[in-house]
Amino acid sequence: FALRMESLKKLNQTIVTKEKQYDIELVRKFISTLPFVLTGDQQLATNDIFRDLKKPNQMNRLLQGDVSSGKTIVSIIASLAVVTANFQVAIMSPTLVLAKQHYNTFKKYLDPYNIQIRLLTSDLSNKAKKLINEELKNDTIDIIIGTQSLIQEKLDFHNLGFVVID
């Protein structure tokens, strides 16, 4: 397993991606408006992600913590940064309940910033799924949140730049 992981790390270093030149001032403003102060670990994780976003190599990170330790807010902050760099974000959750919870949380925090967020789940009609795919293709969706529907549906992203798998 360890040898395989090292092999994958070396392979990932050869994958060139676009650097994300995000709006750090907007991100700082967002963080300052949170109704709580980020913990030291949340700040450290966020800064590590920000450094990786500026690199021309694919990022692979494991954000680990207990329930309610603040992993979601770190994902929201990172997603905001990526969106300000004109890239789209996909958030995949293991269950419908968690996908809806993430959708509501992302909306709560990012609606004031005019971030376009959609929820894609298997219970949507084909017409609704087709509309979401058109919006992704036309770059009118910034963040798509869903279940495994994100990998089962044929989605055409305009400029996908960040994926979070919960």
Side-chain angles (χ1 to χ4, degrees):
F1 177 77
L3 287 173
R4 179 73 177 141
M5 292 309 296
E6 282 302 313
S7 173
L8 287 173
K9 282 182 189 178
K10 287 182 180 177
L11 175 64
N12 283 341
Q13 290 173 351
T14 65
I15 299 171
V16 178
T17 63
K18 296 177 184 174
E19 298 174 30
K20 281 50 170 200
Q21 300 299 324
Y22 53 88
D23 184 344
I24 189 62
E25 292 308 316
L26 180 71
V27 173
R28 285 182 179 145
K29 177 183 172 193
F30 171 77
I31 293 170
S32 74
T33 65
L34 292 174
F36 52 85
V37 176
L38 294 179
T39 67
D41 286 340
Q42 289 168 331
Q43 291 173 7
L44 181 64
T46 302
N47 288 334
D48 286 345
I49 291 168
F50 287 168
R51 276 191 293 278
D52 282 352
L53 290 174
K54 295 240 177 173
K55 293 179 181 176
N57 302 97
Q58 180 175 306
M59 174 191 344
N60 286 303
R61 270 200 183 277
L62 174 63
L63 185 58
Q64 181 176 314
D66 292 335
V67 172
S68 297
S69 64
K71 299 179 298 292
T72 301
I73 197 65
V74 171
S75 296
I76 291 170
I77 293 166
S79 296
L80 174 62
V82 170
V83 168
T84 68
N86 298 313
F87 288 87
Q88 294 169 304
V89 175
I91 311 287
M92 189 170 76
S93 297
T95 66
L96 179 60
V97 171
L98 191 55
K100 288 180 178 179
Q101 181 181 339
H102 282 328
Y103 174 76
N104 291 330
T105 304
F106 272 69
K107 293 279 290 175
K108 171 184 164 186
Y109 285 108
L110 297 179
D111 265 358
Y113 296 86
N114 200 29
I115 305 295
Q116 300 303 308
I117 305 168
R118 299 289 184 279
L119 179 65
L120 177 65
T121 60
S122 59
D123 62 350
L124 290 178
S125 69
N126 286 336
K127 183 178 180 180
K129 290 177 185 177
K130 185 176 179 180
L131 177 61
I132 286 174
N133 192 44
E134 286 300 315
E135 289 177 322
L136 281 171
K137 191 185 318 181
N138 296 331
D139 201 24
T140 54
I141 293 178
D142 299 308
I143 300 173
I144 184 84
I145 299 173
T147 57
Q148 59 270 34
S149 295
L150 293 175
I151 56 174
Q152 292 175 343
E153 301 293 330
K154 170 68 173 105
L155 298 178
D156 298 313
F157 288 89
H158 175 77
N159 197 19
L160 182 61
F162 191 61
V163 176
V164 176
I165 301 172
D166 190 353

PDB file of all heavy atoms in Angstrom, residues 95-96 99-100 119-126 128-129 132 145-150 152-153:
ATOM      1  N   THR A  95     -24.171  10.483   1.166  1.00  0.00           N
ATOM      2  CA  THR A  95     -25.612  10.254   1.316  1.00  0.00           C
ATOM      3  C   THR A  95     -26.403  11.472   0.875  1.00  0.00           C
ATOM      4  O   THR A  95     -25.889  12.598   0.859  1.00  0.00           O
ATOM      5  CB  THR A  95     -25.991   9.956   2.789  1.00  0.00           C
ATOM      6  OG1 THR A  95     -25.745  11.126   3.576  1.00  0.00           O
ATOM      7  CG2 THR A  95     -25.215   8.771   3.337  1.00  0.00           C
ATOM      8  N   LEU A  96     -27.657  11.245   0.563  1.00  0.00           N
ATOM      9  CA  LEU A  96     -28.557  12.327   0.178  1.00  0.00           C
ATOM     10  C   LEU A  96     -28.740  13.315   1.325  1.00  0.00           C
ATOM     11  O   LEU A  96     -28.719  14.525   1.117  1.00  0.00           O
ATOM     12  CB  LEU A  96     -29.909  11.750  -0.252  1.00  0.00           C
ATOM     13  CG  LEU A  96     -30.980  12.747  -0.672  1.00  0.00           C
ATOM     14  CD1 LEU A  96     -30.519  13.573  -1.857  1.00  0.00           C
ATOM     15  CD2 LEU A  96     -32.278  12.013  -1.001  1.00  0.00           C
ATOM     16  N   ALA A  99     -25.629  15.425   1.565  1.00  0.00           N
ATOM     17  CA  ALA A  99     -25.548  16.328   0.412  1.00  0.00           C
ATOM     18  C   ALA A  99     -26.470  17.529   0.615  1.00  0.00           C
ATOM     19  O   ALA A  99     -26.073  18.678   0.371  1.00  0.00           O
ATOM     20  CB  ALA A  99     -25.905  15.590  -0.874  1.00  0.00           C
ATOM     21  N   LYS A 100     -27.676  17.275   1.069  1.00  0.00           N
ATOM     22  CA  LYS A 100     -28.626  18.377   1.326  1.00  0.00           C
ATOM     23  C   LYS A 100     -28.127  19.270   2.453  1.00  0.00           C
ATOM     24  O   LYS A 100     -28.263  20.494   2.391  1.00  0.00           O
ATOM     25  CB  LYS A 100     -30.013  17.817   1.634  1.00  0.00           C
ATOM     26  CG  LYS A 100     -30.705  17.249   0.417  1.00  0.00           C
ATOM     27  CD  LYS A 100     -32.080  16.702   0.744  1.00  0.00           C
ATOM     28  CE  LYS A 100     -32.773  16.186  -0.520  1.00  0.00           C
ATOM     29  NZ  LYS A 100     -34.097  15.630  -0.233  1.00  0.00           N
ATOM     30  N   LEU A 119     -27.741  21.640  -6.314  1.00  0.00           N
ATOM     31  CA  LEU A 119     -27.738  20.309  -5.707  1.00  0.00           C
ATOM     32  C   LEU A 119     -28.129  19.300  -6.774  1.00  0.00           C
ATOM     33  O   LEU A 119     -29.176  19.445  -7.411  1.00  0.00           O
ATOM     34  CB  LEU A 119     -28.734  20.272  -4.540  1.00  0.00           C
ATOM     35  CG  LEU A 119     -28.882  18.952  -3.798  1.00  0.00           C
ATOM     36  CD1 LEU A 119     -27.576  18.575  -3.087  1.00  0.00           C
ATOM     37  CD2 LEU A 119     -30.024  19.043  -2.782  1.00  0.00           C
ATOM     38  N   LEU A 120     -27.293  18.291  -6.979  1.00  0.00           N
ATOM     39  CA  LEU A 120     -27.577  17.231  -7.949  1.00  0.00           C
ATOM     40  C   LEU A 120     -27.676  15.909  -7.217  1.00  0.00           C
ATOM     41  O   LEU A 120     -26.706  15.454  -6.607  1.00  0.00           O
ATOM     42  CB  LEU A 120     -26.475  17.153  -9.015  1.00  0.00           C
ATOM     43  CG  LEU A 120     -26.635  16.039 -10.041  1.00  0.00           C
ATOM     44  CD1 LEU A 120     -27.884  16.250 -10.899  1.00  0.00           C
ATOM     45  CD2 LEU A 120     -25.397  15.941 -10.924  1.00  0.00           C
ATOM     46  N   THR A 121     -28.876  15.322  -7.271  1.00  0.00           N
ATOM     47  CA  THR A 121     -29.091  14.028  -6.627  1.00  0.00           C
ATOM     48  C   THR A 121     -29.884  13.136  -7.574  1.00  0.00           C
ATOM     49  O   THR A 121     -30.493  13.613  -8.538  1.00  0.00           O
ATOM     50  CB  THR A 121     -29.863  14.190  -5.302  1.00  0.00           C
ATOM     51  OG1 THR A 121     -31.128  14.791  -5.569  1.00  0.00           O
ATOM     52  CG2 THR A 121     -29.077  15.030  -4.312  1.00  0.00           C
ATOM     53  N   SER A 122     -29.900  11.865  -7.267  1.00  0.00           N
ATOM     54  CA  SER A 122     -30.573  10.901  -8.140  1.00  0.00           C
ATOM     55  C   SER A 122     -32.084  11.093  -8.157  1.00  0.00           C
ATOM     56  O   SER A 122     -32.745  10.630  -9.081  1.00  0.00           O
ATOM     57  CB  SER A 122     -30.233   9.477  -7.716  1.00  0.00           C
ATOM     58  OG  SER A 122     -30.625   9.270  -6.374  1.00  0.00           O
ATOM     59  N   ASP A 123     -32.646  11.776  -7.172  1.00  0.00           N
ATOM     60  CA  ASP A 123     -34.098  11.945  -7.135  1.00  0.00           C
ATOM     61  C   ASP A 123     -34.599  13.109  -7.994  1.00  0.00           C
ATOM     62  O   ASP A 123     -35.802  13.345  -8.074  1.00  0.00           O
ATOM     63  CB  ASP A 123     -34.605  12.070  -5.696  1.00  0.00           C
ATOM     64  CG  ASP A 123     -34.055  13.276  -4.951  1.00  0.00           C
ATOM     65  OD1 ASP A 123     -33.129  13.931  -5.468  1.00  0.00           O
ATOM     66  OD2 ASP A 123     -34.548  13.550  -3.839  1.00  0.00           O
ATOM     67  N   LEU A 124     -33.701  13.808  -8.668  1.00  0.00           N
ATOM     68  CA  LEU A 124     -34.118  14.882  -9.575  1.00  0.00           C
ATOM     69  C   LEU A 124     -34.667  14.293 -10.875  1.00  0.00           C
ATOM     70  O   LEU A 124     -34.235  13.231 -11.314  1.00  0.00           O
ATOM     71  CB  LEU A 124     -32.949  15.804  -9.906  1.00  0.00           C
ATOM     72  CG  LEU A 124     -32.419  16.705  -8.793  1.00  0.00           C
ATOM     73  CD1 LEU A 124     -31.238  17.510  -9.299  1.00  0.00           C
ATOM     74  CD2 LEU A 124     -33.498  17.626  -8.266  1.00  0.00           C
ATOM     75  N   SER A 125     -35.556  15.020 -11.496  1.00  0.00           N
ATOM     76  CA  SER A 125     -36.084  14.589 -12.789  1.00  0.00           C
ATOM     77  C   SER A 125     -34.996  14.696 -13.852  1.00  0.00           C
ATOM     78  O   SER A 125     -34.019  15.433 -13.686  1.00  0.00           O
ATOM     79  CB  SER A 125     -37.276  15.464 -13.188  1.00  0.00           C
ATOM     80  OG  SER A 125     -36.824  16.776 -13.490  1.00  0.00           O
ATOM     81  N   ASN A 126     -35.169  13.983 -14.949  1.00  0.00           N
ATOM     82  CA  ASN A 126     -34.214  14.063 -16.059  1.00  0.00           C
ATOM     83  C   ASN A 126     -34.129  15.478 -16.594  1.00  0.00           C
ATOM     84  O   ASN A 126     -33.055  15.946 -16.979  1.00  0.00           O
ATOM     85  CB  ASN A 126     -34.585  13.082 -17.165  1.00  0.00           C
ATOM     86  CG  ASN A 126     -34.269  11.656 -16.779  1.00  0.00           C
ATOM     87  OD1 ASN A 126     -33.412  11.404 -15.928  1.00  0.00           O
ATOM     88  ND2 ASN A 126     -34.963  10.701 -17.373  1.00  0.00           N
ATOM     89  N   ALA A 128     -34.556  18.280 -14.884  1.00  0.00           N
ATOM     90  CA  ALA A 128     -33.772  19.074 -13.931  1.00  0.00           C
ATOM     91  C   ALA A 128     -32.278  18.751 -14.058  1.00  0.00           C
ATOM     92  O   ALA A 128     -31.437  19.651 -14.016  1.00  0.00           O
ATOM     93  CB  ALA A 128     -34.254  18.816 -12.515  1.00  0.00           C
ATOM     94  N   LYS A 129     -31.951  17.475 -14.237  1.00  0.00           N
ATOM     95  CA  LYS A 129     -30.551  17.081 -14.405  1.00  0.00           C
ATOM     96  C   LYS A 129     -29.969  17.675 -15.683  1.00  0.00           C
ATOM     97  O   LYS A 129     -28.818  18.128 -15.705  1.00  0.00           O
ATOM     98  CB  LYS A 129     -30.428  15.556 -14.431  1.00  0.00           C
ATOM     99  CG  LYS A 129     -30.699  14.893 -13.105  1.00  0.00           C
ATOM    100  CD  LYS A 129     -30.638  13.375 -13.240  1.00  0.00           C
ATOM    101  CE  LYS A 129     -31.033  12.689 -11.956  1.00  0.00           C
ATOM    102  NZ  LYS A 129     -31.054  11.222 -12.108  1.00  0.00           N
ATOM    103  N   ILE A 132     -29.243  21.348 -15.085  1.00  0.00           N
ATOM    104  CA  ILE A 132     -28.024  21.516 -14.292  1.00  0.00           C
ATOM    105  C   ILE A 132     -26.794  21.296 -15.163  1.00  0.00           C
ATOM    106  O   ILE A 132     -25.824  22.047 -15.086  1.00  0.00           O
ATOM    107  CB  ILE A 132     -28.031  20.567 -13.069  1.00  0.00           C
ATOM    108  CG1 ILE A 132     -29.010  21.098 -12.024  1.00  0.00           C
ATOM    109  CG2 ILE A 132     -26.638  20.393 -12.487  1.00  0.00           C
ATOM    110  CD1 ILE A 132     -29.217  20.184 -10.837  1.00  0.00           C
ATOM    111  N   ILE A 145     -23.125  20.446  -5.697  1.00  0.00           N
ATOM    112  CA  ILE A 145     -23.058  19.555  -4.552  1.00  0.00           C
ATOM    113  C   ILE A 145     -23.977  18.376  -4.835  1.00  0.00           C
ATOM    114  O   ILE A 145     -25.088  18.561  -5.341  1.00  0.00           O
ATOM    115  CB  ILE A 145     -23.487  20.277  -3.258  1.00  0.00           C
ATOM    116  CG1 ILE A 145     -22.546  21.456  -2.983  1.00  0.00           C
ATOM    117  CG2 ILE A 145     -23.521  19.309  -2.075  1.00  0.00           C
ATOM    118  CD1 ILE A 145     -22.960  22.346  -1.839  1.00  0.00           C
ATOM    119  N   GLY A 146     -23.519  17.182  -4.534  1.00  0.00           N
ATOM    120  CA  GLY A 146     -24.364  16.034  -4.796  1.00  0.00           C
ATOM    121  C   GLY A 146     -23.836  14.754  -4.189  1.00  0.00           C
ATOM    122  O   GLY A 146     -22.846  14.745  -3.473  1.00  0.00           O
ATOM    123  N   THR A 147     -24.538  13.711  -4.522  1.00  0.00           N
ATOM    124  CA  THR A 147     -24.151  12.369  -4.108  1.00  0.00           C
ATOM    125  C   THR A 147     -23.318  11.769  -5.233  1.00  0.00           C
ATOM    126  O   THR A 147     -22.774  12.503  -6.072  1.00  0.00           O
ATOM    127  CB  THR A 147     -25.416  11.529  -3.838  1.00  0.00           C
ATOM    128  OG1 THR A 147     -26.219  11.538  -5.025  1.00  0.00           O
ATOM    129  CG2 THR A 147     -26.214  12.096  -2.676  1.00  0.00           C
ATOM    130  N   GLN A 148     -23.280  10.445  -5.298  1.00  0.00           N
ATOM    131  CA  GLN A 148     -22.539   9.801  -6.387  1.00  0.00           C
ATOM    132  C   GLN A 148     -23.136  10.125  -7.753  1.00  0.00           C
ATOM    133  O   GLN A 148     -22.556   9.778  -8.773  1.00  0.00           O
ATOM    134  CB  GLN A 148     -22.415   8.293  -6.157  1.00  0.00           C
ATOM    135  CG  GLN A 148     -23.709   7.560  -6.033  1.00  0.00           C
ATOM    136  CD  GLN A 148     -24.201   7.477  -4.599  1.00  0.00           C
ATOM    137  OE1 GLN A 148     -24.004   8.378  -3.806  1.00  0.00           O
ATOM    138  NE2 GLN A 148     -24.869   6.387  -4.263  1.00  0.00           N
ATOM    139  N   SER A 149     -24.243  10.827  -7.779  1.00  0.00           N
ATOM    140  CA  SER A 149     -24.803  11.311  -9.051  1.00  0.00           C
ATOM    141  C   SER A 149     -23.771  12.155  -9.798  1.00  0.00           C
ATOM    142  O   SER A 149     -23.798  12.238 -11.022  1.00  0.00           O
ATOM    143  CB  SER A 149     -26.054  12.154  -8.808  1.00  0.00           C
ATOM    144  OG  SER A 149     -27.070  11.365  -8.254  1.00  0.00           O
ATOM    145  N   LEU A 150     -22.870  12.778  -9.053  1.00  0.00           N
ATOM    146  CA  LEU A 150     -21.837  13.605  -9.689  1.00  0.00           C
ATOM    147  C   LEU A 150     -20.912  12.790 -10.591  1.00  0.00           C
ATOM    148  O   LEU A 150     -20.339  13.331 -11.530  1.00  0.00           O
ATOM    149  CB  LEU A 150     -21.002  14.339  -8.632  1.00  0.00           C
ATOM    150  CG  LEU A 150     -21.726  15.411  -7.832  1.00  0.00           C
ATOM    151  CD1 LEU A 150     -20.813  15.968  -6.753  1.00  0.00           C
ATOM    152  CD2 LEU A 150     -22.233  16.519  -8.735  1.00  0.00           C
ATOM    153  N   GLN A 152     -22.002   9.573 -11.731  1.00  0.00           N
ATOM    154  CA  GLN A 152     -22.828   8.677 -12.530  1.00  0.00           C
ATOM    155  C   GLN A 152     -23.484   9.394 -13.701  1.00  0.00           C
ATOM    156  O   GLN A 152     -23.762   8.786 -14.720  1.00  0.00           O
ATOM    157  CB  GLN A 152     -23.895   8.017 -11.650  1.00  0.00           C
ATOM    158  CG  GLN A 152     -23.289   7.047 -10.661  1.00  0.00           C
ATOM    159  CD  GLN A 152     -24.312   6.468  -9.696  1.00  0.00           C
ATOM    160  OE1 GLN A 152     -25.405   6.994  -9.549  1.00  0.00           O
ATOM    161  NE2 GLN A 152     -23.948   5.383  -9.050  1.00  0.00           N
ATOM    162  N   GLU A 153     -23.743  10.672 -13.534  1.00  0.00           N
ATOM    163  CA  GLU A 153     -24.339  11.455 -14.612  1.00  0.00           C
ATOM    164  C   GLU A 153     -23.232  11.914 -15.558  1.00  0.00           C
ATOM    165  O   GLU A 153     -22.080  12.075 -15.160  1.00  0.00           O
ATOM    166  CB  GLU A 153     -25.063  12.688 -14.048  1.00  0.00           C
ATOM    167  CG  GLU A 153     -26.171  12.373 -13.071  1.00  0.00           C
ATOM    168  CD  GLU A 153     -27.356  11.662 -13.701  1.00  0.00           C
ATOM    169  OE1 GLU A 153     -27.626  11.891 -14.896  1.00  0.00           O
ATOM    170  OE2 GLU A 153     -28.002  10.877 -12.998  1.00  0.00           O
TER     171      GLU A 153
END
